[in-house]
Amino acid sequence: MSSRALLCVAVTISLLAGCGLRGDARGGTSLAREIARLPALDETELEPLVDADIGAVVGAYQTLYPGLEDAEQNHAAGKRLADLQLERAGLAMADIKNPYDDAIVLYEGLLADGAGSDSRDSLLYQVAQAHDLAGRGDEALVYLDELIRDFPTSAYVREAHFRRAELNFSAGRYAAAATDYRVVAGAAEGRLALHSTYMLGWSEFKGSQLEAATEQFYRVVAETSAAHAAAAIDAPSSAHRGETELRTDSLRVLMLALEYQDGVATLAADISALDRPDWQHGVYAELAERYLTQRRYLDGAAVWRRFVDENPLDRRAPNAWVAMIDTLLDADFVTETRPQKAEFIARFGVRSEYWTRFDEAARASYAEPLAAYLDELSKVYHARAQASGKESDYLAAVDLYEQQLDSFPPDARTPDTLFLIGEIYAEVNRRESALAAFERLTSDYPEHEQVAEAAYAGLLLLDGLVDEAAVAADAAAWADRRLTARLAFAQRFAADPRAPTVQAAAADELFRREDYARSIELAHGLLTRGETLGVDLTRNSLLLIGHGSMELAQYAAAEQAYERLLTIGFDADVAERRLASVYKQGEIAEAEESLDAALGHYLRIGEIDPTAALAASAHFDAIVMLEGADRSADIARLLESFRVLYPQDERAAQVPLRLAQMYEADDDFARAALEYRNVAATSADTDAARQAQFVAAELYRKADDREASLAEYQAYVQRFPTPYDAHFEALQASDELLGELGRSRHGVWRSKVALHERVGRSATPRMSFLAAEAALGLAAIDREAFAAIRLQAPLKKSLRSKQRALKASVKAYEAVIDYAVAEFATAATYQIADLYVELSASIMASERPSGLNALELEQYEILLEEQAYPFEDQAIELHEINMRRAWNAPGGVAGDVWTAKSFADLKALMPGRYDKNERKVAYVENIH
């Protein structure tokens, strides 16, 4: 006997034992004894129970039933026998017309005898099952109805509902079937519940309750999704296979239901109501596939789009979108795919929320189509931008290029993409963004063929950024970056034909920043290129070296640069700077007290360009420098040469005075006088010219050149009528020189008198003295005229002439007295007195008329005396005035020669009174 048969027997024994079956006390036939008589079972047999095995068991039970005395035991044995018969009929191993009839008879008999009421629900279920299996559905329904009605809590009630549902469904009673399927689906578990749900869906579908039907099929799909997923990974088990079949068929029916409704719109609404479960993707995929097989490409594409629209952050959304695009491509809607590809990039690219939400592994699942779309659309948009010239088109293209870089690790295309990004941003004046792209290319891909172009493009962009900076701080920052970039370009791409220009620009920038040393270094580096540098850059480099060296006080280097510049042709400014560099060398040598070296540099400027303004300045500075070193001979030589070389220079006017002062200090009066004379002739300063003229005259006098001195004094008198005091002195010196030369002084005297008259009360004592002196000289002229007149007969006539001369002379001497200068007043007083004495004497000595006898002669003599004596008295009175001046003057003027002479004359005129040795005090008194 097989193990299954053995199991059945064991179960039977267990059931009977459970019912209290045992042998009686009187040793009657017991169930145990009867069972012991059954055929032995081979425990090693593992084959399924066969008809022969069941037959043996059935035969064993038939020996017991219905002969057991205990009703309950007998009922139990009968039920088991019925079960075995039912199983045996299911094996269909016996050639019996109606194999289930035996089981049905047994079940119905057991139900009829009323025994075993506790198991009636089981009997009802089994007999219903037997009728069902026998093809008698209506009979089965009778028993199932009783079971469901009378035993609502029975363990068999769910299966009863299920069987009744199956029978009703087969009979086309879909509403009734649906009622029972719903009960089972809500109460059962596992496969029974799943199958009931599936059939409930079918029942409602058959009953045209589409919405209700789809709800059940969604549940089936939900319940079978795990099995479907497992089957996709491993070989499906029988259980998984069954669930997968249910899922497949449920999806098929769902597709039919959705077609009857609004297709994907209905699906989206349904899925939304189900809170978008994870398995929804399969439903969308099924619908898309159905449309595809029907060649409804646009509808299929719409399904995938709707999935993504409803589930934008679902992990399968990118591939769903790709499926949509592929569907359109299959339909040959190529132009329709580009907007979809662009939207794919927007939804799932590096700029999207999706990208940040998922990890690298999730992004890798759609990396390939993303890369392809980016590559395709970036080229398309770039071409469109080049055709339209619109900024928006360029920005769309560059955004795609940038997403390529940001989405994927660098590869061989990255540097080309960076270059394109830089070009596009530059095209639309997005300089910062363009610069970032070019800089990344140059730094990360130094060996790329376009790296030099990128670096140079970056320099041009930096120029624009410096120029357009809104605030100084930003401009300075961009300028710093540009300088760094220029230096790097010049060094890194030294062989590039643009490198010299870039290096020159960097040198210029360093110069503007006052970083002269580095600027000069770059300029020297450029000059090493020789003739290949070109004239313009050569000039610029030399300028930087020259100007920078000047700023660094490296004047010899500056001179060399400027000198070289001049050899290749340049403007006057460079020539001036060259001279300035030489001048600065002179200044340094002077500061170091290397006077000869400094002198050489200063004078070298004139040798280089004698017409330059700096040449005259340097020459003159050399003079000033030597003045502090007491090198008068050198100074004089330089001053002389300065006057010759630079006659139009305003400082040339200083030369005569400086030379004059030097010669004067050296007692070279003649040369000094000559230079003062030059000063007087050339100076625009009237006062300076006047003083120089006077000094020139004085120095000529010191040099014993009276003629020259007189000429200068006379020139002074002619040119400078004021100031009066100096004018008087010039007249006085002229007076003296004329006297020394033995020439007439009368004109000078008249000038002194006239000048004093003009000055009037403002005259100083010195002026009055000189004027009085001159007046005295002029009075002497009148006296000489007086003395020249001889009294002749007829006396009256000659005396009249003599008296007129006397009056003129007296008047002249009175004018002297008016100056109130003591020494000249006494002289004039004396002269007047002496005039009277002389007149008196002249009268007495005059020629006597001829033909007079002695008496007449005597009488004539008396008459002469009468004429002469009054004059003698006037003379005495005037001499006495002089005496009184001497006596009355404070401090006395007793030593005055004229008072002494008056006193001497008084002794002669009045010996009785004055011919005594008396002490006399002179005083001054005007006579009127």
Side-chain angles (χ1 to χ4, degrees):
M1 183 179 290
S2 70
S3 60
R4 186 171 181 183
L6 178 59
L7 179 59
C8 290
V9 173
V11 170
T12 301
I13 295 171
S14 175
L15 289 172
L16 294 176
C19 296
L21 184 63
R22 57 185 181 278
D24 58 23
R26 296 171 294 182
T29 302
S30 67
L31 181 59
R33 186 181 302 117
E34 293 300 325
I35 290 174
R37 295 168 57 193
L38 293 174
L41 297 175
D42 183 2
E43 295 183 4
T44 63
E45 181 62 49
L46 299 178
E47 292 299 323
L49 188 65
V50 296
D51 184 57
D53 297 330
I54 295 179
V57 177
V58 168
Y61 273 98
Q62 286 177 339
T63 62
L64 298 176
Y65 182 79
L68 294 174
E69 297 176 358
D70 188 297
E72 293 183 4
Q73 292 180 356
N74 191 57
H75 181 83
K79 183 179 184 304
R80 181 55 184 156
L81 179 59
D83 292 341
L84 289 171
Q85 290 286 20
L86 181 61
E87 184 176 357
R88 185 180 185 187
L91 292 173
M93 300 180 65
D95 187 13
I96 302 172
K97 184 177 181 180
N98 294 307
Y100 295 101
D101 287 349
D102 290 340
I104 291 171
V105 171
L106 285 170
Y107 284 131
E108 289 180 343
L110 290 171
L111 289 172
D113 67 13
S117 59
D118 291 342
S119 62
R120 185 172 179 81
D121 59 338
S122 175
L123 292 173
L124 290 170
Y125 176 78
Q126 295 292 65
V127 71
Q129 182 183 23
H131 278 297
D132 183 21
L133 293 173
R136 295 187 285 271
D138 292 340
E139 287 85 347
L141 285 174
V142 172
Y143 291 109
L144 290 172
D145 290 343
E146 181 184 351
L147 172 59
I148 292 169
R149 181 185 66 249
D150 296 341
F151 301 98
T153 61
S154 172
Y156 297 100
V157 72
R158 283 181 296 179
E159 293 192 18
H161 278 292
F162 181 78
R163 288 193 175 277
R164 189 168 72 177
E166 294 277 274
L167 290 170
N168 284 326
F169 185 87
S170 296
R173 294 184 290 272
Y174 301 119
T179 300
D180 283 319
Y181 281 134
R182 188 174 291 107
V183 171
V184 179
E189 297 178 356
R191 299 188 65 189
L192 181 60
L194 177 63
H195 193 78
S196 297
T197 301
Y198 168 75
M199 291 306 299
L200 174 59
W202 265 113
S203 299
E204 291 173 333
F205 183 81
K206 290 290 187 178
S208 299
Q209 302 295 320
L210 294 182
E211 292 185 6
T214 55
E215 181 180 350
Q216 305 310 318
F217 287 124
Y218 283 135
R219 289 180 180 175
V220 174
V221 173
E223 293 295 328
T224 58
S225 292
H228 177 70
I233 299 174
D234 300 319
S237 64
S238 59
H240 287 165
R241 188 180 299 110
E243 291 182 15
T244 300
E245 290 173 356
L246 285 179
R247 182 178 187 277
T248 300
D249 196 60
S250 296
L251 288 172
R252 181 180 63 81
V253 180
L254 277 172
M255 299 305 104
L256 291 172
L258 292 172
E259 284 187 357
Y260 293 150
Q261 300 176 78
D262 292 330
V264 71
T266 301
L267 173 60
D270 292 343
I271 293 300
S272 177
L274 293 170
D275 199 22
R276 295 186 175 84
D278 189 63
W279 48 264
Q280 63 171 319
H281 179 267
V283 183
Y284 277 98
E286 188 71 19
L287 182 58
E289 182 63 27
R290 185 176 181 85
Y291 285 146
L292 189 60
T293 59
Q294 295 172 354
R295 304 180 70 81
R296 296 170 58 184
Y297 297 108
L298 293 179
D299 288 338
V303 170
W304 286 121
R305 182 180 183 93
R306 188 59 177 265
F307 174 80
V308 179
D309 288 343
E310 296 291 325
N311 306 276
L313 296 178
D314 189 283
R315 66 185 182 281
R316 295 156 298 191
N319 290 320
W321 199 277
V322 171
M324 176 186 71
I325 293 173
D326 290 343
T327 300
L328 293 173
L329 289 173
D330 289 342
D332 203 24
F333 294 139
V334 177
T335 57
E336 295 294 328
T337 62
R338 284 178 182 165
Q340 309 306 326
K341 291 174 181 178
E343 192 167 351
F344 177 89
I345 295 168
R347 285 176 176 268
F348 310 111
V350 70
R351 308 275 192 274
S352 68
E353 180 184 359
Y354 189 94
W355 186 276
T356 59
R357 184 72 65 90
F358 288 90
D359 59 14
E360 183 65 31
R363 295 195 291 267
S365 67
Y366 62 93
E368 183 176 349
L370 176 61
Y373 298 163
L374 285 169
D375 184 62
E376 175 189 346
L377 293 182
S378 61
K379 292 181 173 65
V380 170
Y381 286 12
H382 197 172
R384 180 187 303 168
Q386 290 173 328
S388 70
K390 294 181 179 179
E391 180 179 358
S392 58
D393 290 340
Y394 277 115
L395 292 179
V398 80
D399 181 64
L400 293 173
Y401 283 130
E402 287 182 331
Q403 289 191 61
Q404 285 183 358
L405 299 182
D406 296 341
S407 302
F408 305 104
D411 58 20
R413 296 174 299 175
T414 299
D416 292 331
T417 303
L418 284 170
F419 194 85
L420 288 172
I421 290 172
E423 283 190 320
I424 292 175
Y425 274 130
E427 182 70 24
V428 296
N429 290 325
R430 301 291 181 92
R431 292 187 177 92
E432 289 191 49
S433 299
L435 178 63
F438 287 133
E439 286 182 342
R440 181 177 171 188
L441 171 58
T442 56
S443 63
D444 295 352
Y445 303 94
E447 301 303 323
H448 191 263
E449 61 182 1
Q450 289 182 297
V451 67
E453 292 298 326
Y456 191 76
L459 292 177
L460 299 178
L461 291 167
L462 284 166
D463 287 340
L465 288 166
V466 171
D467 294 339
E468 73 180 9
V471 296
D474 290 343
W478 286 120
D480 288 343
R481 287 186 62 177
R482 180 179 64 182
L483 176 59
T484 300
R486 284 172 171 173
L487 293 171
F489 186 94
Q491 180 179 8
R492 183 174 175 182
F493 307 107
D496 190 286
R498 295 163 296 190
T501 302
V502 173
Q503 185 167 332
D508 287 340
E509 179 70 16
L510 287 169
F511 185 87
R512 287 193 295 273
R513 292 167 178 247
E514 299 182 3
D515 190 347
Y516 303 117
R518 293 174 67 195
S519 175
I520 292 170
E521 181 182 358
L522 290 178
H524 275 301
L526 287 168
L527 292 176
T528 59
R529 292 176 177 264
E531 295 181 357
T532 62
L533 185 61
V535 175
D536 289 341
L537 288 182
T538 299
R539 287 175 174 172
N540 186 71
S541 299
L542 289 170
L543 275 176
L544 291 175
I545 294 171
H547 296 352
S549 297
M550 287 291 286
E551 295 293 342
L552 296 175
Q554 298 171 353
Y555 302 117
E559 182 187 2
Q560 292 177 358
Y562 292 139
E563 186 175 3
R564 183 176 172 185
L565 267 171
L566 291 171
T567 63
I568 60 177
F570 219 79
D571 57 22
D573 179 66
V574 173
E576 290 180 4
R577 287 179 174 272
R578 179 195 178 189
L579 298 180
S581 67
V582 177
Y583 182 85
K584 287 294 185 179
Q585 293 177 65
E587 283 188 328
I588 290 177
E590 180 180 352
E592 294 173 350
E593 298 185 357
S594 298
L595 301 187
D596 289 335
L599 181 61
H601 289 306
Y602 287 141
L603 297 182
R604 189 157 58 90
I605 296 173
E607 296 171 1
I608 295 171
D609 184 2
T611 65
L614 187 60
S617 295
H619 194 122
F620 206 83
D621 288 345
I623 293 170
V624 174
M625 174 187 71
L626 294 178
E627 284 177 341
D630 194 23
R631 292 170 58 169
S632 58
D634 290 332
I635 295 170
R637 176 176 56 82
L638 291 175
L639 285 169
E640 291 285 0
S641 60
F642 184 90
R643 180 164 50 189
V644 172
L645 293 172
Y646 313 108
Q648 303 304 318
D649 190 280
E650 62 181 8
R651 287 163 295 196
Q654 302 177 25
V655 171
L657 179 60
R658 297 169 78 96
L659 283 172
Q661 291 170 342
M662 288 180 58
Y663 292 146
E664 184 179 3
D666 291 341
D667 293 338
D668 190 346
F669 301 124
R671 297 178 72 180
L674 178 61
E675 296 304 331
Y676 278 120
R677 180 182 179 185
N678 290 334
V679 172
T682 60
S683 178
D685 184 341
T686 302
D687 193 57
R690 181 186 63 79
Q691 293 180 28
Q693 187 91 54
F694 200 95
V695 173
E698 288 182 324
L699 291 175
Y700 273 129
R701 195 170 184 182
K702 285 185 177 182
D704 201 26
D705 188 344
R706 294 182 179 88
E707 292 288 352
S709 178
L710 178 60
E712 292 306 309
Y713 279 126
Q714 289 176 337
Y716 181 93
V717 169
Q718 291 296 321
R719 288 183 63 187
F720 309 108
T722 59
Y724 295 127
D725 56 348
H727 193 90
F728 262 109
E729 295 300 334
L731 289 172
Q732 179 62 22
S734 298
D735 188 3
E736 294 171 356
L737 287 168
L738 286 169
E740 293 173 6
L741 292 170
R743 296 178 185 172
S744 174
R745 302 159 64 189
H746 300 167
V748 177
W749 293 342
R750 280 189 288 271
S751 295
K752 287 182 184 180
V753 171
L755 180 60
H756 188 275
E757 185 176 349
R758 287 198 305 273
V759 175
R761 294 180 180 181
S762 299
T764 64
R766 172 68 174 169
M767 295 179 190
S768 296
F769 178 90
L770 296 177
E773 183 181 42
L776 185 63
L778 291 172
I781 297 173
D782 290 334
R783 176 156 187 180
E784 289 177 0
F786 168 79
I789 297 174
R790 296 179 61 80
L791 292 177
Q792 297 174 349
L795 179 62
K796 183 176 181 180
K797 182 179 179 180
S798 61
L799 180 58
R800 187 179 299 115
S801 297
K802 190 81 168 178
Q803 286 177 327
R804 283 197 299 269
L806 173 66
K807 288 180 180 179
S809 183
V810 169
K811 185 178 179 181
Y813 283 121
E814 285 177 345
V816 174
I817 294 170
D818 287 340
Y819 288 109
V821 177
E823 61 184 287
F824 297 118
T826 56
T829 302
Y830 175 83
Q831 292 295 342
I832 294 172
D834 195 53
L835 280 170
Y836 287 131
V837 170
E838 183 178 346
L839 179 59
S840 177
S842 296
I843 291 172
M844 294 305 297
S846 64
E847 181 181 3
R848 303 302 191 260
S850 60
L852 294 177
N853 54 35
L855 179 61
E856 289 175 340
L857 183 60
E858 181 179 356
Q859 290 177 342
Y860 186 79
E861 292 289 343
I862 293 171
L863 289 173
L864 287 176
E865 288 178 0
E866 289 177 355
Q867 288 290 325
Y869 287 151
F871 292 110
E872 189 172 302
D873 289 341
Q874 287 179 342
I876 291 170
E877 183 179 349
L878 290 171
H879 284 311
E880 286 179 342
I881 290 172
N882 259 358
M883 294 299 297
R884 286 195 296 271
R885 287 191 181 115
W887 296 333
N888 296 333
V893 289
D896 182 279
V897 64
W898 300 107
T899 56
K901 291 181 73 174
S902 287
F903 184 70
D905 285 357
L906 284 172
K907 286 195 297 182
L909 293 171
M910 299 179 68
R913 183 176 178 181
Y914 292 102
D915 191 13
K916 301 176 181 179
N917 293 325
E918 297 178 352
R919 181 179 179 185
K920 301 176 180 63
V921 180
Y923 65 93
V924 177
E925 180 181 324
N926 289 335
I927 62 174
H928 301 283

